[in-house]
Amino acid sequence: MNRRIFMSVHECEEDLLGVVKAVRQQGLKIVDIYTPYPVHGLDRAAGFGPSRLPWICFVLGLLGAGLKVWFEFWTTAQDWPINVGGKPWDSLPAFIPVTFEVMVLFAGVGTVIALFIATPLYPGKKAVTPFARTTDDRFALLLEEEDATFDPDQVRMLCERYNAVRVEEREEKY
Amino acid sequence: MPHETPKELLRLNEAAPRLFRNACLLGIAGLVVSLLIAVSVDGGVKRAYHSYLMNFCYFLSLSLGGLVFVMIQHLSRAGWSVVVRRISEAVAANVLFLVVLFVPILFGMHHLFPWTREELVASDPLLQWKQPYLNVPFFIIRCLIYFGVWCGLSYFLLRWSQEQDDSRSPALTLRMERWSAPGILLFAITVTFASFDLLMSRDPHWFSTIYGVYYFGGSFLGFVSLLPVIFFALRLNGYIRRSVTAEHFHDLGKLMLGFTVFWAYIAFSQFLLIWYADLPEETGWYARRLEGQWGWLSFLLLAGHFIIPFIGLLFRYPKRRLRYLAPWGLFILVMHWLDLYWLSMPEFYWGVEGADTGVIPFHLLDLTTLLGIGGFFLAGTIQWLRDCSLIPEGDPRLKESLSFENA
């Protein structure tokens, strides 16, 4: 399926923040925003909700800790009980440090992998930039032309009010 | 460099004398009632001293937590924390009043510290061997050093900061920063040894090198939990409604969560090594704390000092809302009190023949001395804030702090 994308390029972050707020007031749909560096306050201006990654981190941490406790209990107390210093086989305090480490491992590595899947972004992925200079000194805002009510001329005028240096429309597969 | 501060009540002004008087009355009432109970009950004096020391160490920990908090802010050149720093400075400077409240402890040392009792030392080779360190004159000298360091640091950090309210001189910021560097080193050493002397030596046979870190962890946690409670009380009465925002509470909440975990990490580090090595000279301390009613208190601490606040503070929502963060602060303060009770009180039976050591020796005196010292602690805080703004108005980073946002 194809969709029409409207791109507006700006020279500084204040203009970008301004135009993002303005298009949101107009009810236009933001596809993505490309900046050379993280812009403070942009996620709030663009109306992106809070990240869902902490939840993934939380669940993975619980999973890692749970699996590890079970595994240690199974290895040292059930499958092959070993007497260590006369302690009971299922000595929970001895399991805690490793459980903690595995919890951190699951939560940390798992969250990074989840980020790669969700963004999608992974090592070796070919860079996708709608406009090459967003990696250097330009800020690009991408809007979706959802239906017939989208008036490119009007949006162009809106963007130019925030000093857009380049405005273009293109078709994109997705 | 005048900064634009939002219009709000930033000075205690005429409310201060009334608050000060009430807090002092609470303190006097608490101590007088404690004294009356102590002299009228059989064995009450000894019991009162044990409660007094424990509650003294509780409020001392809150002040010391404030002191290290202030020094960390200077050393890291923190911008976010400027608006919460004045109250921290005042809480830290309470050490000066605590020196006065420390004096009674010196008169009750034979009740509190077994190594001061000659009949016990005479029959105990280990205590004799420790005499070069654990003796009364050296103990007093050490305490003078501890309190000297804490009083000096906290007094000047507060005074220079107050001076800056008028002079607006950035040079004072640099001066406080320079003194915080040796200050934090001295703090680490003095707090470690003070915790050994005031609490650990109550069981003079036992030793743990991580004990000082444990006391410090509880202190810092106690202090960052106290701040939201103070701000809640101030807001309720119309003070500082705008300068300190959800962003600042969010960061205080993060510190509360972080140090809840830190406390658990240190507590478990201490327990694990002793449990694993299983050496008789080390296990006795834990054996006493896992026996009878003490065992229940130990598990209450595991749940209430770690698991429950950890889950409660894990999420963003309660950290950004003072009406949730302040109750959590109060909860942690109660747990910190129980933690010090657990650290200190099992040694009530040290050297007592045939005592039922599994029973928690709870007594009304624990609460009356809490109110007594707490009243004076509150009065001291108000006294330091009587003639100055509740936020450091002349700090060059004030503007950064007022507009601070969590990214």
Side-chain angles (χ1 to χ4, degrees):
Chain A
M1 218 169 93
N2 282 10
R3 61 177 176 181
R4 284 190 70 77
I5 296 291
F6 181 96
M7 180 175 76
S8 162
V9 181
H10 299 261
E11 274 187 320
C12 64
E13 67 171 77
E14 286 79 10
D15 286 336
L16 179 77
L17 284 170
V19 77
V20 164
K21 280 176 199 153
V23 299
R24 274 198 64 212
Q25 265 172 10
Q26 301 274 315
L28 301 175
K29 190 182 168 193
I30 296 171
V31 175
D32 212 343
I33 304 168
Y34 291 82
T35 60
Y37 54 82
V39 175
H40 280 292
L42 184 59
D43 42 355
R44 196 179 304 170
F48 298 150
S51 168
R52 291 183 302 275
L53 276 179
W55 285 101
I56 294 174
C57 185
F58 181 68
V59 171
L60 284 174
L62 279 184
L63 183 73
L67 280 178
K68 188 60 199 169
V69 166
W70 169 80
F71 183 69
E72 283 182 285
F73 180 76
W74 179 71
T75 51
T76 53
Q78 274 197 313
D79 190 54
W80 197 271
I82 300 170
N83 185 338
V84 181
K87 299 259 190 297
W89 287 327
D90 51 347
S91 288
L92 191 65
F95 299 167
I96 298 289
V98 186
T99 304
F100 175 74
E101 300 298 341
V102 173
M103 179 186 77
V104 173
L105 182 77
F106 266 59
V109 176
T111 307
V112 172
I113 293 172
L115 176 78
F116 283 163
I117 295 169
T119 30
L121 199 75
Y122 43 86
K125 184 177 188 264
K126 262 192 84 180
V128 182
T129 44
F131 186 65
R133 283 184 72 177
T134 55
T135 60
D136 182 19
D137 60 351
R138 289 290 186 272
F139 302 80
L141 166 68
L142 271 63
L143 301 171
E144 185 181 342
E145 300 186 4
E146 285 176 293
D147 48 39
T149 59
F150 190 97
D151 181 351
D153 290 331
Q154 221 178 346
V155 178
R156 180 188 304 264
M157 266 159 62
L158 179 80
C159 294
E160 274 163 4
R161 232 180 296 151
Y162 291 94
N163 308 318
V165 289
R166 182 193 176 114
V167 173
E168 67 176 63
E169 290 176 73
R170 57 172 71 151
E171 210 146 292
E172 185 187 87
K173 264 192 210 133
Y174 82 106
Chain B
M1 271 190 300
H3 297 302
E4 261 188 63
T5 37
K7 296 262 177 298
E8 58 190 334
L9 272 174
L10 285 179
R11 278 164 191 276
L12 290 176
N13 286 337
E14 64 275 7
R18 186 176 46 84
L19 283 172
F20 179 75
R21 199 190 58 224
N22 290 347
C24 278
L25 284 177
L26 178 69
I28 292 166
L31 291 189
V32 166
V33 170
S34 306
L35 195 66
L36 289 177
I37 298 175
V39 292
S40 58
V41 179
D42 194 30
V45 176
K46 181 192 172 194
R47 191 66 194 75
Y49 265 118
H50 281 262
S51 301
Y52 189 86
L53 177 75
M54 183 234 136
N55 280 305
F56 178 83
C57 289
Y58 179 68
F59 286 103
L60 181 66
S61 78
L62 298 181
S63 260
L64 294 177
L67 179 58
V68 71
F69 179 82
V70 171
M71 288 194 290
I72 289 170
Q73 306 316 314
H74 285 308
L75 283 175
S76 58
R77 298 183 175 169
W80 73 271
S81 59
V82 171
V83 289
V84 302
R85 218 186 59 219
R86 173 57 46 79
I87 300 204
S88 315
E89 287 160 352
V91 171
N94 270 334
V95 172
L96 278 93
F97 300 114
L98 287 174
V99 176
V100 181
L101 291 171
F102 181 68
V103 174
I105 291 173
L106 293 176
F107 293 99
M109 282 178 71
H110 55 288
H111 291 302
L112 297 168
F113 304 108
W115 48 267
T116 57
R117 283 157 60 185
E118 276 165 26
E119 79 277 10
L120 281 177
V121 178
S123 61
D124 194 328
L126 195 56
L127 291 190
Q128 285 162 24
W129 195 74
K130 291 185 178 186
Q131 278 278 291
Y133 184 82
L134 290 180
N135 61 70
V136 176
F138 191 32
F139 176 89
I140 294 174
I141 292 171
R142 288 196 304 269
C143 286
L144 284 174
I145 296 172
Y146 305 149
F147 281 104
V149 168
W150 299 334
C151 289
L153 285 171
S154 58
Y155 177 72
F156 283 108
L157 286 175
L158 173 68
R159 215 188 66 179
W160 291 334
S161 173
Q162 285 174 332
E163 234 173 88
Q164 204 177 35
D165 282 358
D166 302 320
S167 74
R168 319 245 152 183
S169 158
L172 285 165
T173 298
L174 290 175
R175 193 195 291 172
M176 289 189 276
E177 198 179 296
R178 270 196 297 274
W179 278 98
S180 294
I184 209 159
L185 285 177
L186 286 171
F187 176 88
I189 296 167
T190 48
V191 167
T192 304
F193 279 93
S195 70
F196 290 173
D197 289 349
L198 291 177
L199 290 168
M200 198 168 88
S201 79
R202 282 161 57 65
D203 176 5
H205 282 174
W206 186 75
F207 54 90
S208 165
T209 47
I210 207 171
Y211 198 90
V213 186
Y214 184 91
Y215 184 70
F216 158 76
S219 303
F220 198 91
L221 176 63
F223 173 73
V224 289
S225 305
L226 177 66
L227 269 187
V229 177
I230 294 178
F231 279 109
F232 188 77
L234 284 172
R235 267 202 186 182
L236 218 57
N237 294 292
Y239 298 96
I240 331 187
R241 280 180 178 269
R242 268 186 270 176
S243 297
V244 185
T245 64
E247 305 292 337
H248 302 106
F249 294 125
H250 192 174
D251 271 13
L252 286 175
K254 287 180 209 165
L255 282 173
M256 285 160 72
L257 173 70
F259 274 83
T260 296
V261 179
F262 182 80
W263 175 89
Y265 189 92
I266 298 302
F268 184 72
S269 300
Q270 178 172 278
F271 174 76
L272 181 73
L273 295 194
I274 290 172
W275 171 83
Y276 223 128
D278 212 8
L279 301 173
E281 73 241 46
E282 291 177 343
T283 48
W285 194 83
Y286 272 110
R288 277 199 295 286
R289 280 160 182 76
L290 289 169
E291 155 187 28
Q293 295 174 355
W294 290 109
W296 291 105
L297 182 57
S298 297
F299 280 101
L300 178 67
L301 283 175
L302 174 65
H305 208 306
F306 173 54
I307 297 171
I308 295 170
F310 175 75
I311 295 169
L313 290 167
L314 191 57
F315 299 97
R316 189 184 167 91
Y317 192 87
K319 288 199 281 251
R320 293 182 69 86
R321 281 157 188 82
L322 188 56
R323 64 179 181 280
Y324 296 113
L325 195 63
W328 276 117
L330 203 61
F331 178 82
I332 293 176
L333 282 173
V334 172
M335 284 299 152
H336 179 46
W337 190 79
L338 288 175
D339 183 34
L340 278 181
Y341 201 96
W342 179 88
L343 269 186
S344 176
M345 233 26 126
E347 307 329 330
F348 180 67
Y349 300 117
W350 214 93
V352 179
E353 293 295 322
D356 186 2
T357 53
V359 179
I360 294 177
F362 182 78
H363 198 283
L364 188 61
L365 281 164
D366 295 332
L367 297 178
T368 55
T369 48
L370 172 77
L371 290 180
I373 302 177
F376 285 117
F377 190 81
L378 191 61
T381 314
I382 294 159
Q383 179 62 25
W384 288 123
L385 296 170
R386 183 174 275 206
D387 297 317
C388 65
S389 168
L390 295 171
I391 63 173
E393 285 176 0
D395 193 292
R397 298 192 185 98
L398 179 64
K399 209 176 163 211
E400 184 187 342
S401 184
L402 287 171
S403 56
F404 168 70
E405 272 185 47
N406 280 287

